[in-house]
Amino acid sequence: MSMKGQRFLLGRLGERLVKDGVLNDDQLREAIQKQKKSGGFLGEIIVSMGFLSAAQIKPYLEEWTGFPFVDILEEEIDRDLVMLVPKATVVNRIALPYREVNGRVYIAMADPLDIETIDEYRATINKPIVACLALSADLNEVIKRSYDDRDKVKNLINEMGESTTVLVEDTQEEEAYDEGQRAPIVRLVNSLVGGAVVAGASDIHLEPQENGVRVRYRIDGVMYEQMTLPASYMASCVSRLKIMGGLDIAERRRPQDGRFSTRDDTGREFDIRLSLMPTVYGEKACMRLLEKANALASVDKIGFMPVQREMFERFIHRPHGLILVTGPTGSGKSTTLYAALQAINDSTKNINTVEDPVEYRLSGINQMQVNAKIGVTFAAGLRTLVRQDPDVILVGEIRDKDTAEIAIQAALTGHLVLSTLHTNDAPGALVRLQNMGVEPFLVSSAILGIIGQRLLRSLCPFCREEYTPTLEVALAAGIQVVDGKIPKMARAVGCKRCGGRGTKGRSAALEILPMTEKLREMVLRRCSGQELTVQAIDEGMMTMREVAIKKALNFQLSADEIMRVFAQEE
């Protein structure tokens, strides 16, 4: 919407919603605060936070803008109309033709006052245009779905049939290369990657089975099966991936790792880490998708509770000491570390990292890639970094005694050191370091604090359903029941906005353990992890489960998700 129109709308919409009693003052204040931080249209923020549905806000938007409002996620999209306009135009203009009635084409637009776009569509389609207002987030989602590359895959398979070159172990390299360059195979692999981008997947798995190739995407930490390709396609797809990743095409008996980059139609750039592994039915391919623009999460988006945020800020602004982030693979540890670096990165500090791999390039920060083949390990890289006059050092992971001791010595000699460690909780890191062979006096002296974290799937704010769980479910999730009164929670339902899953995105549950004098004394006495945990809780540490429960009682998470994530640790 034009700036003038936005000012008019934003200045009055919130007041009217509160006046009519559909929104309260606290909700409006919270929405305005979020708008100040992230920008955007106030009405859209109110809907995204779950305060109102699109149907509830519709009459207000129509009244204030003068345009018909369409809940585009609930509309049946006419694919033939969509194809009349170039995809790049639809994506860049955020304007989608979605239906035709009596010779008039209705276009859902984020900015229905954009006369230039309306004129362009009128000339392209050559029919009268009716401009409608739609929420931009919903519109972007529908546009992605309208060009879903997963549909392209199915169409390609139908076009190609099941007859394609079958590559066996003794296939010549030249033949394998030619097969990997065939146009249908190139389009097929590009469509598989494009489909994952549209679905918001973090990983793509191509798994050869006895009777076909299973394609699965990992979305919000959970694997979802997407389709099955003919078995004869697998070797050709793998050859294409090897070409893209710069790998040895002829090698099919050993694992290989590679990397390549791609862009989607909106210009977003993705780094893709490729891993190939031989199995009894052929080579399995796994691709990790890393969107560069999403790497630099700010501290306020990590998911800290207010008191935790203040504690974390104190840690990262200390001049020296060791800060550890713990948790299993895929728990968001690297994201937390990158957020910390972003918060303290300025021209007065020399910040250096040693990582395996360097997932994202950070402006103004010197990053080193581990390469064990030539002797560049975490320990060797860290030895080099301490001679580079650093102020801040990030070590991707502490895996052994050498790396741990060098990191601790750096922390004790005037450097701020950040790293990760694979333990189940924050107190467990103190025991793990000692088990590695690090002396307790070094552990107790160097560590400033430890962050433990998990990622849990957030409930879709558009379709979540409030309910009162049974006593058994409440107790199993760890929720306190006082005087038999079970607090209300929310559960997943599923809608078009979340792809029917009932969840949308993930939220971190974190615990922060500051090193106190009592804990230092207990480390020196080699107390157990359980004793350290009890002491930390006595000193006020909120556990990850407690944070998750607070978010569940705020309708952000479900009881089922809490049980899924934390049951294995009980």
Side-chain angles (χ1 to χ4, degrees), residues 543-558:
T543 67
M544 290 178 281
R545 182 188 279 265
E546 287 174 339
V547 172
I549 289 172
K550 286 180 180 294
K551 293 188 175 185
L553 295 177
N554 197 31
F555 308 132
Q556 294 174 263
L557 306 172
S558 68

Side-chain angles (χ1 to χ4, degrees), residues 289-310:
L289 280 65
L290 303 166
E291 185 182 354
K292 292 183 177 180
N294 281 346
L296 309 181
S298 59
V299 171
D300 59 354
K301 292 183 179 179
I302 294 298
F304 290 114
M305 304 297 284
V307 65
Q308 293 179 323
R309 165 73 183 272
E310 294 175 9

Side-chain angles (χ1 to χ4, degrees), residues 192-489:
L192 289 171
V193 174
V197 170
V198 169
S202 61
D203 300 85
I204 309 169
H205 292 257
L206 273 64
E207 303 167 316
Q209 310 287 307
E210 184 176 5
N211 299 313
V213 180
R214 181 171 63 172
V215 179
R216 293 195 291 172
Y217 295 162
R218 186 178 294 278
I219 303 172
D220 292 338
V222 177
M223 296 278 273
Y224 293 92
E225 186 165 345
Q226 302 298 313
M227 66 191 77
T228 300
L229 304 178
S232 58
Y233 283 51
M234 186 63 194
S236 299
C237 289
V238 168
S239 289
R240 177 60 190 165
L241 291 172
K242 287 178 179 178
I243 292 170
M244 297 170 73
L247 304 180
D248 185 349
I249 296 176
E251 179 57 70
R252 300 183 184 89
R253 295 170 297 178
R254 293 192 179 101
Q256 296 192 71
D257 295 319
R259 188 171 189 160
F260 59 93
S261 296
T262 188
R263 292 178 183 269
D264 70 0
D265 294 292
T266 65
R268 293 185 302 166
E269 188 173 358
F270 292 82
D271 274 340
I272 299 181
R273 297 207 317 252
L274 170 64
S275 175
L276 297 174
M277 179 185 76
T279 72
V280 293
Y281 295 116
E283 292 179 275
K284 176 187 181 295
C286 176
M287 288 168 274
R288 165 71 49 98
L289 280 65
L290 303 166
E291 185 182 354
K292 292 183 177 180
N294 281 346
L296 309 181
S298 59
V299 171
D300 59 354
K301 292 183 179 179
I302 294 298
F304 290 114
M305 304 297 284
V307 65
Q308 293 179 323
R309 165 73 183 272
E310 294 175 9
M311 200 178 302
F312 184 73
E313 292 274 10
R314 288 201 301 270
F315 286 164
I316 63 177
H317 285 95
R318 293 281 292 274
H320 56 80
L322 176 61
I323 301 171
L324 293 174
V325 182
T326 72
T329 301
S331 59
K333 300 187 297 296
S334 295
T335 301
T336 299
L337 289 180
Y338 282 136
L341 291 187
Q342 283 296 107
I344 60 177
N345 184 19
D346 62 53
S347 60
T348 67
K349 294 185 177 70
N350 177 20
I351 302 177
N352 300 267
T353 78
V354 53
E355 306 172 59
D356 182 24
V358 175
E359 294 186 351
Y360 301 101
R361 273 65 170 179
L362 303 177
S363 177
I365 294 175
N366 309 295
Q367 297 174 270
M368 181 191 300
Q369 171 78 51
V370 165
N371 189 341
K373 293 180 181 178
I374 58 174
V376 183
T377 61
F378 276 118
L382 189 48
R383 287 190 185 96
T384 299
L385 292 189
V386 296
R387 295 193 291 269
Q388 288 285 318
D389 183 32
D391 295 300
V392 181
I393 298 173
L394 183 149
V395 186
E397 182 183 346
I398 293 178
R399 297 177 179 173
D400 51 48
K401 179 182 177 182
D402 284 348
T403 307
E405 288 185 336
I406 300 168
I408 286 174
Q409 289 295 339
L412 291 172
T413 53
H415 308 94
L416 181 65
V417 181
L418 299 89
S419 190
T420 69
L421 198 63
H422 285 280
T423 62
N424 286 334
D425 55 20
L430 299 170
V431 178
R432 176 65 57 84
L433 289 172
Q434 294 178 65
N435 290 343
M436 285 182 176
V438 181
E439 291 295 333
F441 74 91
L442 292 175
V443 175
S444 64
S445 301
I447 292 181
L448 290 175
I450 305 170
I451 297 97
Q453 65 183 71
R454 294 290 185 279
L455 291 178
L456 296 90
R457 291 177 296 172
S458 300
L459 288 170
C460 173
F462 300 100
C463 64
R464 63 190 178 191
E465 177 184 70
E466 294 183 23
Y467 78 115
T468 302
T470 64
L471 179 62
E472 292 76 16
V473 168
L475 294 177
I479 296 169
Q480 290 187 348
V481 178
V482 181
D483 297 330
K485 295 181 179 179
I486 304 173
K488 278 193 171 185
M489 298 185 66

Side-chain angles (χ1 to χ4, degrees), residues 56-69:
Q56 288 175 306
I57 206 168
K58 174 182 177 178
Y60 295 93
L61 295 179
E62 291 182 337
E63 177 182 348
W64 291 109
T65 66
F67 290 93
F69 174 80

